[in-house]
């Protein structure tokens, strides 16, 4: 075996040992969205819900609950459940079981439960994902369509004549002119309905700081991206410092991953959903250096607009 082969074997053994020493052998992850229209499906108006309680229940062949676990979603609407060993999750389902502080009243009802799906198995580690769960408010929002088949307005036959005539309206004197309205305070920027993609350099400029939403500059990388990112980057580094990274594949991945996360929170039509950014980030960190570089390049391409999308930022007031 040549020196390169020995080096690869040593790295493989170190990686295997590191994975073997991981405390959480099985992870279950998912996201809860607020179903604002109460239509039982994801729509443009739905958003990741913070403070929702999610219960994972497992039953035996007789329908008796043999295992149950509850977690609360974080700022990004995501949750993570950890189990020791490799329990059988084939008879398990996850559901929204309640709401807590931060759910903003979106928890009066819940959508259907979902079954965990095995995402990958490596050595003694397993990762499951759960399709999006829905929490619902007590009433649908006013801008939601109430009926998919509205009743048409009655049509008057062309030859019909009315049975009576309305008297002419009296003439009113002109209304006095209104005084000028006071100037309103500037509104915060709304989420772009059209596609927008801004590179990392834009996110570090003070004139665009009002576009940081969902997270802020002091948010920890470990909080935004989870346990796998915490192992690689530590628990103290912030998103602001992560945006300064360069010259190293893992620092480049972090910079472009943070940028993609910020873009995903500011444009409905960005290439990645916030949860997709986190998932791709974690998969890259658990893979090879080549996987890290490829994921960083994919993020960078999306952040640059892929040649046909521009950055819609305007200077903050």
């Amino acid at each position: 075996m040549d020196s390169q082969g020995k080096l690869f074997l040593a790295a493989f053994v170190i990686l295997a040992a590191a994975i073997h020493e991981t405390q959480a052998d099985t992870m279950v992850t998912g996201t809860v969205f607020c179903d604002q229209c109460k239509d039982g499906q994801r729509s443009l108006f739905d958003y990741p819900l913070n403070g929702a309680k999610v219960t994972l229940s497992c039953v035996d062949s007789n329908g008796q609950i043999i295992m149950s676990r509850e977690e609360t979603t974080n700022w990004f609407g995501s949750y993570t459940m950890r189990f020791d060993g490799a329990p059988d999750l084939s008879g398990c389902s996850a559901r929204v079981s309640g709401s807590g502080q931060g759910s903003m009243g979106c928890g009066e009802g819940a959508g259907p439960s979902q079954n965990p799906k095995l995402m990958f198995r490596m050595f003694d580690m397993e990762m499951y994902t759960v399709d999006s769960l829905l929490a619902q408010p007590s009433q649908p929002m006013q801008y939601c369509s109430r009926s998919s088949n509205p009743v048409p307005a009655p049509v008057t036959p062309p030859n019909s004549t009315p049975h009576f005539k309305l008297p002419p309206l009296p003439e009113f004197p002109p209304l006095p002119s209104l005084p000028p309205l006071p100037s309103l305070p500037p509104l915060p920027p709304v989420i772009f309905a059209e596609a927008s993609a801004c590179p990392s350099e834009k996110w570090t400029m003070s004139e665009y700081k009002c576009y940081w939403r969902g997270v802020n500059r002091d948010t920890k990388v470990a909080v935004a991206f989870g346990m796998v990112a915490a192992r690689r980057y530590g628990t103290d580094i912030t998103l602001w410092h992560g945006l300064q990274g360069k010259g190293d594949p893992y620092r480049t991945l972090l910079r472009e991953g943070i940028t993609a996360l910020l873009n995903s929170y500011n444009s409905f039509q960005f290439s990645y959903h916030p949860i997709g950014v986190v998932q791709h980030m974690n998969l890259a960190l658990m893979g090879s250096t080549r996987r890290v570089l490829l994921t960083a390049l994919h993020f960078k391409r999306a952040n640059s607009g892929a040649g046909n999308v521009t950055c819609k930022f305007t200077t903050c007031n």
Side-chain angles (χ1 to χ4, degrees), residues 15 87 92 111 122 143 193 253:
L15 175 63
C92 302
M122 183 188 305
Y143 45 72
L253 173 67

Side-chain angles (χ1 to χ4, degrees), residues 86-145:
D88 181 14
L89 302 184
S90 58
C92 302
S93 62
R95 61 184 176 86
V96 177
S97 55
S99 59
Q101 185 177 5
S103 59
M104 297 181 294
C106 188
E108 299 293 331
S113 59
Q114 302 287 352
N115 302 109
K117 301 176 182 178
L118 182 64
M119 190 174 181
F120 77 88
R121 179 183 289 117
M122 183 188 305
F123 301 101
D124 294 329
M125 289 187 65
E126 293 181 348
M127 177 173 283
Y128 289 81
T129 59
V130 179
D131 289 343
S132 299
L133 297 173
L134 299 177
Q136 297 174 333
S138 57
Q139 296 294 330
M141 301 300 291
Q142 294 180 354
Y143 45 72
C144 297
S145 174

